[in-house]
Amino acid sequence: MLTIKEIADMANVSRTTVSRVLNDSGYVSIKARERVLKVIEETGYVPSQHAKSLRTKKSKVIGVVIPKLGTETSGRLVNGMNEVFSQYGYQILLTSSNLAPQKEIEYLSLLKSRQVDGIILTATNVSDQLIAGIRQLRMPFVAVGQNIPGVSNVVYDDLNAAKIMTRLLIERGRKNIAFIGVPESDQAVGVLRKQGFLDSMKEHCLNIRKEWIIESDFSISSGYSAMERIMERVVGGVIPDGVFCVTDRIAIGAIQHLKETGLKVPQQISITGIGASDLSKYVEPPLTTMDYENEKAGQEAAKILLAQIERNEDFQKTVILNGRLIRRDSL
């Protein structure tokens, strides 16, 4: 493998000139640059990334922590990030917490030890321990999905999205509306979407039945079980005529249970979700949902992180993304 000194000798320039051409930094005359580029082209020289990182103090690697591998949301987020990072010569080192909050904290330290230039975290919850772990990083950092104090964030307008989805049910004439959520340790999905549901119900002076507010996890099977529990709590023959589910997968499970019990969606019970998963358009009936455009979220996170890296500044910026309503037949 050729060295910078050999390239310099062949181009009849100094090693400093070759370095400036390779790193696109500092002044180099047009003729000298042309000679260096000609030698590089003729020899097929590829600079060592390790050597380059030692000179620039940049690894050109970004650490990314996602909740789970193989999910549509994570895939779209990472695709959006990669679209931006690849334009600037950065690569992604991907890790998955598998929905374990403690793993998120562990991976932050691990990625820093791998000398990544920055980290993007799709957090599952916001805890004091996580905030402390982020502060200890002292490096470019962006959180996606959860609003974490003291750092840059790319978040969705979960409160308003939940209000919209609940309002759709109300406008459809539904008055006895059930809610299937997730644990409130998840601030965005567990707290804000629940609050949006409650706010819409109160704004329209509708009765909130606490026995029909059920907590599940993010799986289709948990949505099925949650809908089953709601129906078991029906008293006096009054059944829900609408159900707001905080995710599409929960909604799909709820629809399946209703179909198996002979109840018709949407004729008897309308269902809405959030997420615009691929499955949401294939379930019968197709699900009314909110598309959060995760690719855009990934792109925004990447742009903020790159700005921190390139400017070498510890600034904070929050981007709030609005969803896109998709009306389908479950309403």
Side-chain angles (χ1 to χ4, degrees):
M1 180 181 292
L2 290 173
T3 65
I4 288 181
K5 182 179 184 305
E6 290 170 326
I7 294 291
D9 291 342
M10 294 171 70
N12 194 27
V13 297
S14 68
R15 283 180 291 183
T16 299
T17 298
V18 175
S19 179
R20 286 178 175 177
V21 172
L22 291 173
N23 294 307
D24 194 23
S25 63
Y27 172 76
V28 178
S29 69
I30 295 176
K31 289 185 178 181
R33 183 181 296 275
E34 288 177 347
R35 291 201 302 273
V36 172
L37 292 175
K38 183 178 180 181
V39 170
I40 290 173
E41 182 179 358
E42 291 176 347
T43 61
Y45 172 75
V46 178
S48 164
Q49 183 61 47
H50 177 66
K52 187 174 182 180
S53 67
L54 289 175
R55 293 192 303 273
T56 63
K57 296 184 179 180
K58 292 180 181 177
S59 65
K60 303 294 282 190
V61 176
I62 302 297
V64 175
V65 185
I66 59 174
K68 202 165 186 177
L69 292 171
T71 66
E72 291 177 46
T73 299
S74 294
R76 291 171 180 170
L77 279 169
V78 173
N79 284 340
M81 295 174 198
N82 193 54
E83 185 178 320
V84 174
F85 287 135
S86 61
Q87 295 177 18
Y88 295 88
Y90 284 84
Q91 296 179 320
I92 289 175
L93 178 58
L94 188 64
T95 60
S96 169
S97 66
N98 201 28
L99 298 174
Q102 185 58 41
K103 282 292 182 183
E104 292 176 352
I105 299 169
E106 292 174 10
Y107 280 135
L108 294 180
S109 298
L110 174 64
L111 290 170
K112 183 176 182 179
S113 72
R114 296 291 180 89
Q115 298 182 323
V116 297
D117 292 334
I119 295 175
I120 295 178
L121 168 68
T122 303
T124 55
N125 64 57
V126 182
S127 65
D128 291 340
Q129 191 178 7
L130 176 64
I131 294 171
I134 292 171
R135 286 175 178 168
Q136 291 173 5
L137 291 174
R138 299 186 183 279
M139 66 187 305
F141 179 89
V142 179
V144 177
Q146 302 282 358
N147 200 335
I148 299 178
V151 299
S152 291
N153 299 278
V154 176
V155 295
Y156 311 107
D157 193 348
D158 287 291
L159 181 68
N160 191 51
K163 285 183 177 181
I164 290 171
M165 303 314 288
T166 307
R167 195 180 304 134
L168 287 174
L169 293 167
I170 297 170
E171 291 172 353
R172 178 73 168 77
R174 305 315 190 185
K175 296 180 179 180
N176 300 308
I177 303 174
F179 171 86
I180 305 178
V182 299
E184 294 189 8
S185 56
D186 186 317
Q187 177 70 20
V189 183
V191 175
L192 293 179
R193 295 186 194 179
K194 182 179 181 180
Q195 189 60 53
F197 164 75
L198 295 174
D199 288 351
S200 274
M201 293 290 283
K202 291 174 183 176
E203 287 169 9
H204 292 82
C205 301
L206 292 179
N207 183 34
I208 298 170
R209 299 173 183 263
K210 292 183 179 180
E211 68 272 20
W212 289 355
I213 296 178
I214 300 292
E215 200 172 273
S216 67
D217 61 34
F218 288 83
S219 67
I220 292 175
S221 61
S222 71
Y224 182 101
S225 299
M227 193 69 244
E228 185 176 37
R229 277 183 282 157
I230 289 172
M231 299 308 294
E232 288 172 350
R233 298 178 182 183
V234 167
V235 178
V238 178
I239 68 170
D241 53 13
V243 185
F244 169 52
C245 303
V246 295
T247 75
D248 284 359
R249 295 179 71 83
I250 291 172
I252 290 168
I255 288 174
Q256 182 60 32
H257 179 268
L258 292 173
K259 287 168 67 176
E260 290 182 9
T261 55
L263 291 166
K264 295 181 179 180
V265 179
Q267 291 88 343
Q268 292 173 278
I269 303 179
S270 296
I271 307 279
T272 59
I274 290 180
S277 66
D278 285 343
L279 283 175
S280 68
K281 57 189 173 186
Y282 296 115
V283 68
E284 182 57 42
L287 181 66
T288 294
T289 184
M290 182 76 74
D291 185 359
Y292 270 165
E293 300 177 306
N294 301 118
E295 291 90 348
K296 184 176 180 181
Q299 292 167 359
E300 292 294 331
K303 290 174 184 177
I304 295 172
L305 194 71
L306 284 176
Q308 293 179 7
I309 294 169
E310 298 300 326
R311 297 180 196 171
N312 196 27
E313 295 178 11
D314 183 22
F315 66 86
Q316 296 174 25
K317 180 179 181 179
T318 295
V319 174
I320 302 175
L321 298 175
N322 297 311
R324 179 176 61 90
L325 177 62
I326 301 176
R327 290 176 179 266
R328 297 197 183 110
D329 296 341
S330 69
L331 190 61

